[in-house]
Amino acid sequence: MISHDQERATAEPTDIHLRSRRHDRPPDKVRGAGLEFWEMRANSFTTIPEPRLTARLEQLLKDQGRLDANISLSLRTPPVATDNTTGMPAGVTAPIFPTWFVCEQVEATAAATGTLRRRRLVRWQDLDTKGRRRFVFDDGRKSEVTPIRFVCACEKGHLQDIDWRWVVHGTVQCQEPLWVEEKGTSADPADTSVVCGCGRRLSLQHAFPPGRLGKCRGERPWLLDRDPDGCGDNLKLLTRTATNTYFPQVYTVISLPSEEDDLTRLVDELSGDLANVQTVEDVAQAKRFNPKVSVSLGAYPDAEIFERLKRLREGARADAARSPKMSEFDVFASGRQQIGHNHPTAKLYAETLPRTAWVDPGVDIDTSAIKNLVAVHRLREVSSLYGFTRFEAAPTSSDGDIEDIQLAVRGAPISRRADWLPAIEQFGEGLFIHIDEQAVNRWLQDPHVVNRQASLLRGYDHWRAKFSGGAPNYPGTAYTLLHSLSHALMAEIALDSGYPASSLKERIYALSDAHNGGAAIKCGILIYTATPGAQGTLGGLVAAGSRFSSILRNALARQLICSNDPVCADHEPDGRSGDRATHGAACHGCLLIAETSCEMRNLFLDRSLLVQTMAGYQSNFFD
C-alpha cells in the first residue's frame, strides 16, 4: 500500500483502466502508474517472445540510459486477475493525482451577466479521512468531491498540480477559501475563474501565457518521484482528460518465421521464458524450475537448446540494426509460393498467389503495376509500449523504425529502471500487395508528378515548422502514393469483406535508398486485421484476394469524385492548414480513416496521385 505522503501521484501510462488500490479515494476512472507499481505476481502475467522487438527496444532503452548495460529486457502482458489468499486481484496501483478537488455542491448567485455557479476548491488533506473522502463545510454539511479538471505539464512529459494559491495571489500569503466560479454553459476558459475569499481571482483564459503557471519542478507523479535531471521549463495549462494529455509511444512488428526445425521452433516460442538464460547450466535450471520449459524441451539436450537460443538472439540483434519493415518486406515479397509453415502455432503463414488467381480478365483495370498479391493466412502482431509524450504525438517514421523523437517532441519514461515492458500479441490475416518499384520510379519522373511533389514538399515544410527541434524526414512521394492507395483499398475491402473499417490496419512499405524523395527500392502494402487470442480471424481478407481486381477498380472509381469536391480536389497544402499541410486532395469524404487504423495518423495523403481528379493535376499513377 502506498503511504500517505506518496498519495500525490498518478495515473497514466497504459490504455488499461484498472482498479485503485485505495478504497477510500473519491470515485474516479484511473489509469495505471509506472511499471514499478504493477503487481506482477507469479501467474498474473505471460512473457511474450519476440526477439526482434525485444532486441530493438533493449538497445533503445540502453542508449537512453533507462536500462543497465548488463540487463536483458523482456516483454510481458499486463497483469490479470488471479486467485490468492487476500481475494484481491492483480492490478495496477493508482496513487492520488491531482490533489486538488472540486466540491459537487453548487452555490448559485445572481449577477449582471447571469447566474454564477460556485464550487469550493479543496486539497486532498482537507477531506474527511473517515469512510468515503468528502469535504465537511464549517456548518457540518458534507459534499462529495471530484478531481479538478486542470493540471499543468511541460513538453518533457513532467506533470504536476497547479499551485492555485500562488497563481491567484502571487507572493501574497492568504488562507481564505478558494472557489471555482463558472458562468454560461460552454467550456470556454473565459467562463471559468478561480476566486479567493479575499476577492482576488484568475480567469483561466489568462493562464495560457508562458510562465504564468510557473516553472516545472520535474515532477513525475506516475513514478512517485522527480526527474533526477531536473527541468525548469515553463509549465502549460492542461485539461486532465484532454486527448493531448497523453500520446503513447508504441513499437509494433509483424513476427517472421524462424523455424529451421522443431527444436528451433520450440525455443523460439519459449524465448521469453528463456530471457535470463546465459549459459548451458542456466538451461538446466530453467527446465527444473519452469514447468512449461520442462514439458516442451525436456527431451532435448541442454547444449542444443542453448545453441538454438544463441542463434535466434544473434539473428534478432542483426535484424534490430535495420528497419523492421525491411525484414518484413523481404519475407512478404520473396515470391516464394509458401511463406512459413501451415501450422496452428505458426507465427506467419502466407501464399504468393498465381496471377490467374486474382486477375480477372473481365474487369477493366490495368494491374501491370502490381507484381504480386500475397494471401497472409496467419500473422502475429506484437506491440509494446515504451514511453509517451504530451501536447504533441511523437512523429511516426515511414520506415517503421523508432524516430529520434528528441528532435521533435520529448518522450517521457514509463518506469525508472524496470527490466520489462508491457506488450500485447494479436493474431490475424491480411493481404500484401507488392507494387512494381520500376513503375513507381518512372511515374516519379513525370513532369506533372514533379510539380505535385513540389507542392507537397511546400506543405511538409509548413507542417514541420511547428516542431521546434525539427520534424522527421519527408517520407517521399512514393509513400504518399502507397498510403493513399492503402486507404482507398481499406475502405473498399471493408465493404466487400464485411469487416468493419476500423478493424483493418495497414503497414506501408515505401522504402528508398535516400531520404527526401530518393528512388523507391521496396514498395508494398500490407492490409490486415488482428485480434487477441490464438484463433485470429475468420478468413474474410484472404478470401477477398480472388476478387482483388474488382476491389481495386471500385476503390479507384470512388476516388474520382469526393462529396466535398471541388473544395477537396483543389486543396493546396499551406501554412494555414495545420496537419492538413501534409495533405493534397484528402478529407473525411474520401481518404481519411479511423486513426487507429492508420499508421501515420492520417498524414501524407493525396488522391490526385491515384486518379485524375477534377482539379486536373495529371499526376495520377493509375489511368
Side-chain angles (χ1 to χ4, degrees), residues 23 32-33 207 274 318 324 339 354 385 389 394 410 412 438 458 487 493 504 506 521 556 571 574:
H23 302 290
L274 300 172
I339 301 169
L385 176 73
T389 64
R410 288 171 281 187
Q438 293 184 3
R458 286 194 297 271
H487 282 211
I493 287 174
L504 300 179
E506 66 179 357
I521 58 173
L556 295 176
H571 171 72
D574 56 42

Side-chain angles (χ1 to χ4, degrees), residues 187-199:
D188 189 340
D191 291 340
T192 304
S193 300
V194 176
V195 181
C196 180
C198 70

Side-chain angles (χ1 to χ4, degrees), residues 260-310:
E260 301 171 359
D261 53 28
D262 288 343
L263 177 56
T264 304
R265 178 178 58 80
L266 290 172
V267 172
D268 188 26
E269 291 175 359
L270 294 169
S271 58
D273 296 276
L274 300 172
N276 295 321
V277 170
Q278 302 298 329
T279 64
V280 176
E281 290 74 20
D282 290 341
V283 175
Q285 293 296 315
K287 284 183 177 180
R288 180 179 177 185
F289 295 106
N290 190 322
K292 188 192 302 183
V293 174
S294 176
V295 170
S296 299
L297 301 177
Y300 296 96
D302 296 348
E304 288 189 23
I305 295 172
F306 186 63
E307 180 61 30
R308 297 295 199 285
L309 184 61
K310 285 199 304 180

Side-chain angles (χ1 to χ4, degrees), residues 330-363:
D330 289 344
V331 171
F332 287 125
S334 64
R336 297 197 303 267
Q337 183 178 356
Q338 289 198 344
I339 301 169
H341 300 288
N342 188 9
H343 189 274
T345 62
K347 295 179 179 179
L348 180 68
Y349 173 63
E351 291 182 291
T352 302
L353 300 177
R355 203 167 188 86
T356 55
W358 58 272
V359 175
D360 186 348
V363 176

